[in-house]
């Protein structure tokens, strides 16, 4: 007989969980495993609210298993380490991102590309190798194998740094892999949300000219005056759009709604690169003609492996890059999810877990 979430492991834990496709979260008691020799335990202080959390609690992608404790932008303080752990000590500031385990044996894992492992264990809503399920960062603590724990730069605030563990690495990884970092080149950022606003900051740190591409005219002031973009292109303005055709070297497409790739391809120069990191719920049309005639590239990218994620965090520490956040208490999470569904956040909700989570 299967054990309940509260009794399957020896350590009692508490968080907020969704129990059905309504996506409504409520207090939830469950359990975590004891530290093994390679494990790190951390008290969770903050956890970012990713758009993936919203999709998962509502089963938008069709693979949710309830109950679900979401959260894969986790930061906190180390409270215990296993005997084999040498890189971390009690009191360290650390983070945990999208995965907490992988096979460690495949070609991807051997190349520090754990995010592409065929047998990943995600931080929540995922079967662990022992048959139990993973629960995420909307909770009081977590126990994770040391390979999947990240050192957090001392100069970065934990709350505004938490979204870097998903939103940050999701845009940083393709920019590095596809060479979208050459100073002076022109980067288009399609979509201004949790991912897009961090992409602007990376682009400027790399020395790129950055243009935000959006269908929302009210985002222009913030894109340029607060986030540091060089220009703003309203995608619904035919005259402005025509002027921008063939002017960009790269575009990172963060849009998660169904949209036209053809119009974005038109903005690229010869040999331009369009990399998509958003996850629309329906397939997009792939226009081949402009690819062929302009020798252009369309590619995709997942979040990066652990080595690259650490490099990204160190880069953010060097350049003082953080997310723009709205800090909330855990009991405000359902309202935050409703607002997130309407894109009513600038630009990432972060839960103040350490100061607002109570078992009462």
């Amino acid at each position: 007989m299967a054990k309940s979430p509260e009794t399957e492991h020896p350590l009692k834990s508490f968080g907020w969980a969704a129990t059905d496709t309504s996506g409504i979260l409520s207090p939830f008691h469950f359990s975590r495993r004891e530290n093994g020799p390679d494990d790190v335990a951390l008290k969770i202080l903050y956890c970012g609210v990713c758009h993936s959390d919203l999709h998962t609690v509502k089963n938008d992608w069709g693979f949710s298993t309830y109950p679900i404790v979401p959260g894969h932008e986790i930061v906190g303080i180390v409270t215990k380490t296993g005997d084999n752990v040498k890189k971390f000590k009690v009191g360290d500031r650390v983070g945990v991102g999208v995965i907490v385990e992988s096979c460690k044996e495949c070609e991807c894992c051997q190349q520090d590309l754990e995010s592409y492992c065929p047998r990943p264990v995600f931080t929540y809503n995922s079967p662990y190798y022992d048959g139990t399920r993973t629960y995420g960062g909307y909770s009081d603590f977590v126990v994770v194998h040391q390979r999947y724990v990240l050192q957090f730069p001392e100069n970065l605030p934990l709350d505004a740094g938490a979204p870097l563990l998903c939103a940050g690495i999701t845009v940083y990884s393709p920019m590095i892999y596809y060479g979208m970092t050459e100073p002076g080149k022109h980067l288009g950022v399609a979509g201004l949300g949790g991912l897009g606003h961090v992409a602007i900051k990376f682009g400027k740190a790399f020395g790129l000219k950055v243009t935000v591409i959006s269908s929302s005219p009210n985002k222009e002031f913030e894109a340029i005056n607060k986030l540091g973009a060089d220009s703003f292109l309203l995608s619904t303005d035919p005259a402005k759009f025509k002027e921008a055709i063939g002017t960009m070297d790269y575009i990172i497409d963060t849009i998660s709604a169904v949209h036209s790739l053809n119009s974005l391809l038109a903005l690229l120069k010869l040999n331009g690169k369009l990399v998509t990191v958003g996850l629309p719920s329906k397939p997009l049309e792939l226009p081949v003609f402009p690819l062929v005639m302009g020798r252009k590239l369309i590619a995709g990218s997942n979040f990066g492996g652990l080595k690259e994620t650490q490099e990204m965090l160190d880069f953010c520490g060097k350049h003082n890059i953080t997310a723009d956040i709205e800090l909330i208490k855990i009991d405000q999470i359902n309202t935050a999810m409703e607002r997130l569904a309407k894109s009513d956040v600038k630009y990432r909700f972060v839960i103040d877990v350490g100061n607002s989570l109570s078992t009462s």
Side-chain angles (χ1 to χ4, degrees):
M1 182 177 177
K3 293 184 177 181
S4 71
E6 196 169 355
T7 61
E8 64 185 358
H9 292 298
L11 301 180
K12 302 301 181 186
S13 189
F14 179 73
W16 278 52
T19 57
D20 56 42
T21 56
S22 71
I24 300 298
L25 292 111
S26 58
F28 177 67
H29 291 271
F30 62 106
S31 56
R32 301 248 190 224
R33 72 175 186 264
E34 286 275 14
N35 263 52
D38 291 299
D39 286 338
V40 175
L42 60 139
K43 173 182 171 60
I44 298 172
L45 298 180
Y46 301 99
C47 186
V49 180
C50 179
H51 219 284
S52 297
D53 299 350
L54 176 61
H55 286 302
T56 303
V57 297
K58 289 183 173 293
N59 198 26
D60 289 341
W61 293 329
F63 50 74
S64 297
T65 300
Y66 299 95
I68 296 167
V69 177
H72 59 205
E73 297 176 344
I74 302 168
V75 292
I77 301 295
V78 174
T79 57
K80 187 176 181 180
T81 60
D83 291 341
N84 296 339
V85 178
K86 307 302 179 186
K87 191 168 63 171
F88 304 100
K89 65 182 185 301
V90 172
D92 281 355
R93 295 153 40 101
V94 295
V96 175
V98 182
I99 60 173
V100 292
E101 189 58 273
S102 61
C103 77
K104 305 185 188 74
E105 299 172 351
C106 69
E107 184 177 357
C108 294
C109 287
Q110 293 298 315
Q111 296 179 5
D112 297 311
L113 296 171
E114 299 92 344
S115 51
Y116 297 97
C117 173
R119 295 178 59 213
V121 177
F122 295 102
T123 304
Y124 67 89
N125 189 46
S126 190
Y128 203 77
Y129 294 155
D130 64 3
T132 63
R133 296 197 65 80
T134 57
Y135 298 105
Y138 297 12
S139 59
D140 51 0
F141 77 99
V142 67
V143 179
V144 182
H145 188 286
Q146 61 176 328
R147 177 170 178 158
Y148 308 91
V149 180
L150 298 145
Q151 290 278 10
F152 223 80
E154 286 296 326
N155 65 309
L156 288 185
L158 291 177
D159 53 0
L164 298 173
L165 296 166
C166 177
I169 188 58
T170 297
V171 293
Y172 179 89
S173 183
M175 292 180 76
I176 295 295
Y177 181 77
Y178 291 106
M180 302 163 69
T181 59
E182 186 178 343
K185 294 290 188 179
H186 190 179
L187 170 71
V189 177
L192 183 54
L195 275 66
H197 91 285
V198 180
I200 296 170
K201 298 182 182 188
F202 283 135
K204 295 307 297 179
F206 286 129
L208 304 173
K209 175 185 176 182
V210 179
T211 295
V212 172
I213 307 161
S214 175
S215 60
S216 303
N218 60 345
K219 292 185 176 181
E220 179 173 3
F221 180 85
E222 186 122 350
I224 295 174
N225 294 281
K226 184 174 182 181
L227 297 173
D230 297 285
S231 58
F232 182 89
L233 176 60
L234 184 63
S235 58
T236 54
D237 184 330
K240 294 292 185 183
F241 201 88
K242 185 176 181 180
E243 290 177 8
I245 288 175
T247 63
M248 299 180 188
D249 299 285
Y250 328 119
I251 295 174
I252 187 157
D253 181 4
T254 71
I255 301 170
S256 58
V258 175
H259 60 287
S260 168
L261 295 177
N262 197 45
S263 58
L264 293 177
L265 284 170
L267 298 172
L268 289 173
K269 298 177 181 178
L270 178 70
N271 301 323
K273 301 172 184 178
L274 168 61
V275 182
T276 180
V277 294
L279 292 171
S281 57
K282 295 180 181 178
L284 304 182
E285 290 188 10
L286 179 62
V288 175
F289 199 85
L291 289 181
V292 172
M293 300 306 293
R295 201 163 66 180
K296 298 173 183 179
L297 177 148
I298 291 183
S301 180
N302 201 0
F303 59 94
L306 275 299
K307 180 181 178 182
E308 187 174 52
T309 304
Q310 187 64 63
E311 291 171 357
M312 180 271 305
L313 287 174
D314 295 341
F315 181 87
C316 290
K318 180 179 179 180
H319 295 275
N320 293 310
I321 295 173
T322 58
D324 287 27
I325 66 166
E326 183 175 333
L327 196 63
I328 62 169
K329 296 179 179 180
I330 189 68
D331 61 8
Q332 298 172 307
I333 185 59
N334 290 309
T335 300
M337 287 290 193
E338 291 175 3
R339 288 179 53 195
L340 180 59
K342 302 172 185 175
S343 299
D344 178 23
V345 57
K346 292 181 179 177
Y347 284 91
R348 201 69 151 191
F349 288 116
V350 172
I351 304 169
D352 186 356
V353 176
N355 289 315
S356 66
L357 187 66
S358 171
T359 59
S360 61

